[in-house]
Amino acid sequence: GDPVGEFRPSALRVYGLELVVEADGSSRVVFDNAGSAVFANGVWINTATDRFTAVDPVTGQEHLRIHLNERIENADGTTTIHGLRYEDLTGAHPEVVLGRVVHAPAEAEPEPGPNPEPEPEPGTGPELPRHHAFGVWATGASVVDPAPVAGGDRGERAHLERVVDGLTGQVTVEDVAVESGEDGARVAVGDVLLYPGTDVEIALRD
């Protein structure tokens, strides 16, 4: 049949997201156009808040959360900062992270004696440096390993024109640029489409 007739709206669209992390660990998320930057649950969400939640109109249960500039304090003293995290509480769609920076505070001189190697964080794909940044990561119904990755404090840069999940066609992220250095970190994402259960996509642009 006609694929247009089978069109289903995307679960998430993001346009022009940038996560900026300063050397002191402070962070902010900037959008090219804050009023039409994140489309989810059938609406343009308010990007001035740090979390959007959606409730199922039938059950009254919360089924979707979108976190902006999310900060997580880790046991090893580092801080994980997400530009955007899409969390589907039903498990039907993958959980997606756009722009992640792990900020490590300046380290004091180590005390004499052996220091155990830190355990790698589970569920993040390949092992990453203690201080790192990446553009996109997806788990759950569709998997995308962290990409592109810039690690350490030596001023690394990474850029990819497109990141996709490769099999199910649920996640497509375009124009992803990452910088990580001693003076801070920056992650910029062009367009994001989280498109459940189909490889058909329709986009209307100026």
Side-chain angles (χ1 to χ4, degrees), residues 52-82:
F52 167 83
T53 60
V55 175
D56 189 297
V58 176
T59 66
Q61 299 295 312
E62 184 179 353
H63 68 93
L64 171 65
R65 295 174 187 161
I66 296 178
H67 308 262
L68 297 171
N69 197 25
E70 180 184 40
R71 300 176 64 88
I72 302 170
E73 303 299 327
N74 302 313
D76 64 357
T78 61
T79 302
T80 298
I81 306 163
H82 296 144

mmCIF file of all heavy atoms in Angstrom, residues 52-82:
data_model
loop_
_atom_site.group_PDB
_atom_site.id
_atom_site.type_symbol
_atom_site.label_atom_id
_atom_site.label_comp_id
_atom_site.label_asym_id
_atom_site.label_seq_id
_atom_site.Cartn_x
_atom_site.Cartn_y
_atom_site.Cartn_z
ATOM 1 N N PHE A 52 9.793 17.442 31.632
ATOM 2 C CA PHE A 52 8.452 17.349 31.072
ATOM 3 C C PHE A 52 7.911 15.956 31.372
ATOM 4 O O PHE A 52 8.603 14.952 31.192
ATOM 5 C CB PHE A 52 8.493 17.577 29.560
ATOM 6 C CG PHE A 52 7.223 17.209 28.845
ATOM 7 C CD1 PHE A 52 6.154 18.082 28.790
ATOM 8 C CD2 PHE A 52 7.097 15.964 28.224
ATOM 9 C CE1 PHE A 52 4.976 17.742 28.127
ATOM 10 C CE2 PHE A 52 5.930 15.610 27.562
ATOM 11 C CZ PHE A 52 4.875 16.508 27.519
ATOM 12 N N THR A 53 6.661 15.882 31.836
ATOM 13 C CA THR A 53 6.029 14.589 32.086
ATOM 14 C C THR A 53 4.709 14.521 31.331
ATOM 15 O O THR A 53 4.034 15.538 31.144
ATOM 16 C CB THR A 53 5.767 14.377 33.589
ATOM 17 O OG1 THR A 53 4.889 15.403 34.072
ATOM 18 C CG2 THR A 53 7.060 14.416 34.384
ATOM 19 N N ALA A 54 4.369 13.318 30.893
ATOM 20 C CA ALA A 54 3.105 13.089 30.194
ATOM 21 C C ALA A 54 2.354 11.975 30.898
ATOM 22 O O ALA A 54 2.938 10.976 31.323
ATOM 23 C CB ALA A 54 3.358 12.723 28.734
ATOM 24 N N VAL A 55 1.035 12.145 31.006
ATOM 25 C CA VAL A 55 0.170 11.190 31.706
ATOM 26 C C VAL A 55 -0.789 10.573 30.705
ATOM 27 O O VAL A 55 -1.360 11.266 29.857
ATOM 28 C CB VAL A 55 -0.604 11.889 32.841
ATOM 29 C CG1 VAL A 55 -1.592 10.935 33.494
ATOM 30 C CG2 VAL A 55 0.362 12.459 33.867
ATOM 31 N N ASP A 56 -0.955 9.257 30.790
ATOM 32 C CA ASP A 56 -1.900 8.560 29.933
ATOM 33 C C ASP A 56 -3.317 9.026 30.257
ATOM 34 O O ASP A 56 -3.753 8.937 31.412
ATOM 35 C CB ASP A 56 -1.774 7.046 30.148
ATOM 36 C CG ASP A 56 -2.579 6.250 29.144
ATOM 37 O OD1 ASP A 56 -3.823 6.388 29.145
ATOM 38 O OD2 ASP A 56 -1.982 5.488 28.369
ATOM 39 N N PRO A 57 -4.070 9.527 29.267
ATOM 40 C CA PRO A 57 -5.407 10.062 29.554
ATOM 41 C C PRO A 57 -6.402 8.989 29.996
ATOM 42 O O PRO A 57 -7.418 9.310 30.608
ATOM 43 C CB PRO A 57 -5.826 10.689 28.223
ATOM 44 C CG PRO A 57 -5.023 9.976 27.182
ATOM 45 C CD PRO A 57 -3.717 9.653 27.838
ATOM 46 N N VAL A 58 -6.130 7.739 29.683
ATOM 47 C CA VAL A 58 -7.056 6.657 30.050
ATOM 48 C C VAL A 58 -6.759 6.134 31.448
ATOM 49 O O VAL A 58 -7.640 6.043 32.302
ATOM 50 C CB VAL A 58 -6.983 5.516 29.021
ATOM 51 C CG1 VAL A 58 -7.878 4.350 29.459
ATOM 52 C CG2 VAL A 58 -7.381 6.013 27.633
ATOM 53 N N THR A 59 -5.481 5.796 31.696
ATOM 54 C CA THR A 59 -5.120 5.187 32.979
ATOM 55 C C THR A 59 -4.768 6.213 34.048
ATOM 56 O O THR A 59 -4.796 5.896 35.242
ATOM 57 C CB THR A 59 -3.931 4.236 32.794
ATOM 58 O OG1 THR A 59 -2.772 5.001 32.409
ATOM 59 C CG2 THR A 59 -4.231 3.207 31.714
ATOM 60 N N GLY A 60 -4.407 7.428 33.618
ATOM 61 C CA GLY A 60 -3.969 8.432 34.574
ATOM 62 C C GLY A 60 -2.560 8.212 35.078
ATOM 63 O O GLY A 60 -2.092 8.919 35.974
ATOM 64 N N GLN A 61 -1.853 7.241 34.487
ATOM 65 C CA GLN A 61 -0.493 6.924 34.919
ATOM 66 C C GLN A 61 0.522 7.713 34.099
ATOM 67 O O GLN A 61 0.367 7.894 32.887
ATOM 68 C CB GLN A 61 -0.216 5.421 34.783
ATOM 69 C CG GLN A 61 -1.111 4.536 35.620
ATOM 70 C CD GLN A 61 -0.894 4.766 37.099
ATOM 71 O OE1 GLN A 61 0.242 4.802 37.575
ATOM 72 N NE2 GLN A 61 -1.991 4.928 37.839
ATOM 73 N N GLU A 62 1.581 8.146 34.752
ATOM 74 C CA GLU A 62 2.680 8.818 34.063
ATOM 75 C C GLU A 62 3.381 7.817 33.140
ATOM 76 O O GLU A 62 3.723 6.709 33.568
ATOM 77 C CB GLU A 62 3.666 9.369 35.092
ATOM 78 C CG GLU A 62 4.799 10.180 34.499
ATOM 79 C CD GLU A 62 5.731 10.708 35.575
ATOM 80 O OE1 GLU A 62 5.412 10.558 36.773
ATOM 81 O OE2 GLU A 62 6.785 11.257 35.210
ATOM 82 N N HIS A 63 3.559 8.182 31.869
ATOM 83 C CA HIS A 63 4.161 7.220 30.939
ATOM 84 C C HIS A 63 5.377 7.769 30.202
ATOM 85 O O HIS A 63 6.044 7.033 29.478
ATOM 86 C CB HIS A 63 3.115 6.752 29.914
ATOM 87 C CG HIS A 63 2.666 7.806 28.947
ATOM 88 N ND1 HIS A 63 3.258 7.987 27.715
ATOM 89 C CD2 HIS A 63 1.687 8.741 29.034
ATOM 90 C CE1 HIS A 63 2.643 8.985 27.088
ATOM 91 N NE2 HIS A 63 1.697 9.462 27.863
ATOM 92 N N LEU A 64 5.706 9.045 30.385
ATOM 93 C CA LEU A 64 6.815 9.633 29.650
ATOM 94 C C LEU A 64 7.442 10.749 30.469
ATOM 95 O O LEU A 64 6.741 11.554 31.092
ATOM 96 C CB LEU A 64 6.316 10.203 28.310
ATOM 97 C CG LEU A 64 7.289 11.055 27.496
ATOM 98 C CD1 LEU A 64 8.474 10.215 27.034
ATOM 99 C CD2 LEU A 64 6.583 11.698 26.320
ATOM 100 N N ARG A 65 8.777 10.776 30.460
ATOM 101 C CA ARG A 65 9.510 11.883 31.068
ATOM 102 C C ARG A 65 10.603 12.340 30.100
ATOM 103 O O ARG A 65 11.264 11.514 29.469
ATOM 104 C CB ARG A 65 10.168 11.471 32.384
ATOM 105 C CG ARG A 65 9.207 11.109 33.494
ATOM 106 C CD ARG A 65 9.976 10.586 34.703
ATOM 107 N NE ARG A 65 9.077 10.085 35.731
ATOM 108 C CZ ARG A 65 9.463 9.254 36.703
ATOM 109 N NH1 ARG A 65 10.719 8.859 36.773
ATOM 110 N NH2 ARG A 65 8.596 8.843 37.600
ATOM 111 N N ILE A 66 10.775 13.654 30.022
ATOM 112 C CA ILE A 66 11.892 14.226 29.271
ATOM 113 C C ILE A 66 12.650 15.139 30.217
ATOM 114 O O ILE A 66 12.089 16.102 30.751
ATOM 115 C CB ILE A 66 11.416 14.992 28.032
ATOM 116 C CG1 ILE A 66 10.745 14.020 27.055
ATOM 117 C CG2 ILE A 66 12.585 15.706 27.351
ATOM 118 C CD1 ILE A 66 10.192 14.687 25.824
ATOM 119 N N HIS A 67 13.921 14.816 30.440
ATOM 120 C CA HIS A 67 14.766 15.572 31.357
ATOM 121 C C HIS A 67 15.678 16.488 30.544
ATOM 122 O O HIS A 67 16.294 16.049 29.568
ATOM 123 C CB HIS A 67 15.622 14.629 32.204
ATOM 124 C CG HIS A 67 14.841 13.556 32.890
ATOM 125 N ND1 HIS A 67 14.441 13.644 34.204
ATOM 126 C CD2 HIS A 67 14.377 12.349 32.444
ATOM 127 C CE1 HIS A 67 13.786 12.548 34.556
ATOM 128 N NE2 HIS A 67 13.727 11.741 33.496
ATOM 129 N N LEU A 68 15.785 17.750 30.950
ATOM 130 C CA LEU A 68 16.664 18.722 30.308
ATOM 131 C C LEU A 68 17.710 19.198 31.309
ATOM 132 O O LEU A 68 17.378 19.513 32.456
ATOM 133 C CB LEU A 68 15.867 19.910 29.779
ATOM 134 C CG LEU A 68 14.835 19.594 28.680
ATOM 135 C CD1 LEU A 68 13.973 20.817 28.408
ATOM 136 C CD2 LEU A 68 15.526 19.130 27.406
ATOM 137 N N ASN A 69 18.965 19.236 30.855
ATOM 138 C CA ASN A 69 20.084 19.644 31.716
ATOM 139 C C ASN A 69 20.075 18.844 33.022
ATOM 140 O O ASN A 69 20.229 19.391 34.119
ATOM 141 C CB ASN A 69 20.035 21.143 32.002
ATOM 142 C CG ASN A 69 21.361 21.674 32.531
ATOM 143 O OD1 ASN A 69 22.422 21.098 32.282
ATOM 144 N ND2 ASN A 69 21.302 22.768 33.279
ATOM 145 N N GLU A 70 19.890 17.545 32.886
ATOM 146 C CA GLU A 70 19.831 16.659 34.050
ATOM 147 C C GLU A 70 21.234 16.467 34.627
ATOM 148 O O GLU A 70 22.193 16.233 33.905
ATOM 149 C CB GLU A 70 19.260 15.304 33.629
ATOM 150 C CG GLU A 70 19.148 14.306 34.753
ATOM 151 C CD GLU A 70 18.662 12.950 34.282
ATOM 152 O OE1 GLU A 70 19.099 12.507 33.189
ATOM 153 O OE2 GLU A 70 17.846 12.334 34.980
ATOM 154 N N ARG A 71 21.344 16.552 35.950
ATOM 155 C CA ARG A 71 22.631 16.406 36.635
ATOM 156 C C ARG A 71 22.529 15.267 37.651
ATOM 157 O O ARG A 71 21.618 15.243 38.490
ATOM 158 C CB ARG A 71 23.032 17.707 37.333
ATOM 159 C CG ARG A 71 23.169 18.890 36.370
ATOM 160 C CD ARG A 71 23.459 20.169 37.130
ATOM 161 N NE ARG A 71 24.730 20.118 37.826
ATOM 162 C CZ ARG A 71 25.905 20.460 37.289
ATOM 163 N NH1 ARG A 71 25.955 20.897 36.033
ATOM 164 N NH2 ARG A 71 27.017 20.380 37.985
ATOM 165 N N ILE A 72 23.484 14.342 37.585
ATOM 166 C CA ILE A 72 23.501 13.181 38.473
ATOM 167 C C ILE A 72 24.853 13.144 39.169
ATOM 168 O O ILE A 72 25.893 13.073 38.505
ATOM 169 C CB ILE A 72 23.265 11.876 37.693
ATOM 170 C CG1 ILE A 72 21.934 11.929 36.938
ATOM 171 C CG2 ILE A 72 23.310 10.672 38.630
ATOM 172 C CD1 ILE A 72 21.737 10.789 35.967
ATOM 173 N N GLU A 73 24.839 13.207 40.494
ATOM 174 C CA GLU A 73 26.074 13.136 41.267
ATOM 175 C C GLU A 73 26.451 11.669 41.469
ATOM 176 O O GLU A 73 25.659 10.878 41.987
ATOM 177 C CB GLU A 73 25.894 13.824 42.625
ATOM 178 C CG GLU A 73 25.463 15.284 42.529
ATOM 179 C CD GLU A 73 26.487 16.146 41.798
ATOM 180 O OE1 GLU A 73 27.695 15.859 41.908
ATOM 181 O OE2 GLU A 73 26.074 17.120 41.134
ATOM 182 N N ASN A 74 27.662 11.309 41.067
ATOM 183 C CA ASN A 74 28.112 9.928 41.146
ATOM 184 C C ASN A 74 28.938 9.683 42.403
ATOM 185 O O ASN A 74 29.493 10.611 42.997
ATOM 186 C CB ASN A 74 28.941 9.578 39.907
ATOM 187 C CG ASN A 74 28.157 9.783 38.626
ATOM 188 O OD1 ASN A 74 27.011 9.355 38.522
ATOM 189 N ND2 ASN A 74 28.755 10.444 37.647
ATOM 190 N N ALA A 75 29.024 8.405 42.795
ATOM 191 C CA ALA A 75 29.716 8.047 44.032
ATOM 192 C C ALA A 75 31.209 8.368 43.972
ATOM 193 O O ALA A 75 31.834 8.596 45.013
ATOM 194 C CB ALA A 75 29.509 6.555 44.319
ATOM 195 N N ASP A 76 31.793 8.392 42.768
ATOM 196 C CA ASP A 76 33.235 8.654 42.652
ATOM 197 C C ASP A 76 33.576 10.136 42.607
ATOM 198 O O ASP A 76 34.722 10.515 42.370
ATOM 199 C CB ASP A 76 33.806 7.954 41.416
ATOM 200 C CG ASP A 76 33.218 8.485 40.117
ATOM 201 O OD1 ASP A 76 32.319 9.359 40.169
ATOM 202 O OD2 ASP A 76 33.652 8.021 39.042
ATOM 203 N N GLY A 77 32.565 11.005 42.819
ATOM 204 C CA GLY A 77 32.814 12.432 42.836
ATOM 205 C C GLY A 77 32.588 13.135 41.514
ATOM 206 O O GLY A 77 32.607 14.365 41.455
ATOM 207 N N THR A 78 32.374 12.378 40.450
ATOM 208 C CA THR A 78 32.092 12.986 39.162
ATOM 209 C C THR A 78 30.611 13.352 39.063
ATOM 210 O O THR A 78 29.785 12.885 39.848
ATOM 211 C CB THR A 78 32.454 12.039 38.004
ATOM 212 O OG1 THR A 78 31.660 10.843 38.110
ATOM 213 C CG2 THR A 78 33.925 11.665 38.040
ATOM 214 N N THR A 79 30.288 14.185 38.088
ATOM 215 C CA THR A 79 28.905 14.568 37.829
ATOM 216 C C THR A 79 28.556 14.221 36.388
ATOM 217 O O THR A 79 29.277 14.619 35.469
ATOM 218 C CB THR A 79 28.688 16.075 38.042
ATOM 219 O OG1 THR A 79 29.060 16.420 39.382
ATOM 220 C CG2 THR A 79 27.231 16.457 37.821
ATOM 221 N N THR A 80 27.490 13.461 36.201
ATOM 222 C CA THR A 80 27.005 13.143 34.861
ATOM 223 C C THR A 80 25.939 14.161 34.483
ATOM 224 O O THR A 80 24.974 14.366 35.221
ATOM 225 C CB THR A 80 26.416 11.726 34.813
ATOM 226 O OG1 THR A 80 27.440 10.780 35.137
ATOM 227 C CG2 THR A 80 25.867 11.412 33.427
ATOM 228 N N ILE A 81 26.125 14.795 33.326
ATOM 229 C CA ILE A 81 25.220 15.846 32.866
ATOM 230 C C ILE A 81 24.642 15.430 31.520
ATOM 231 O O ILE A 81 25.392 15.098 30.591
ATOM 232 C CB ILE A 81 25.961 17.187 32.736
ATOM 233 C CG1 ILE A 81 26.657 17.538 34.058
ATOM 234 C CG2 ILE A 81 25.001 18.297 32.327
ATOM 235 C CD1 ILE A 81 27.724 18.598 33.925
ATOM 236 N N HIS A 82 23.326 15.416 31.416
ATOM 237 C CA HIS A 82 22.644 15.084 30.169
ATOM 238 C C HIS A 82 22.002 16.337 29.584
ATOM 239 O O HIS A 82 21.287 17.059 30.288
ATOM 240 C CB HIS A 82 21.550 14.035 30.401
ATOM 241 C CG HIS A 82 22.068 12.713 30.861
ATOM 242 N ND1 HIS A 82 21.404 11.921 31.772
ATOM 243 C CD2 HIS A 82 23.203 12.043 30.543
ATOM 244 C CE1 HIS A 82 22.096 10.819 31.984
ATOM 245 N NE2 HIS A 82 23.191 10.866 31.261
#
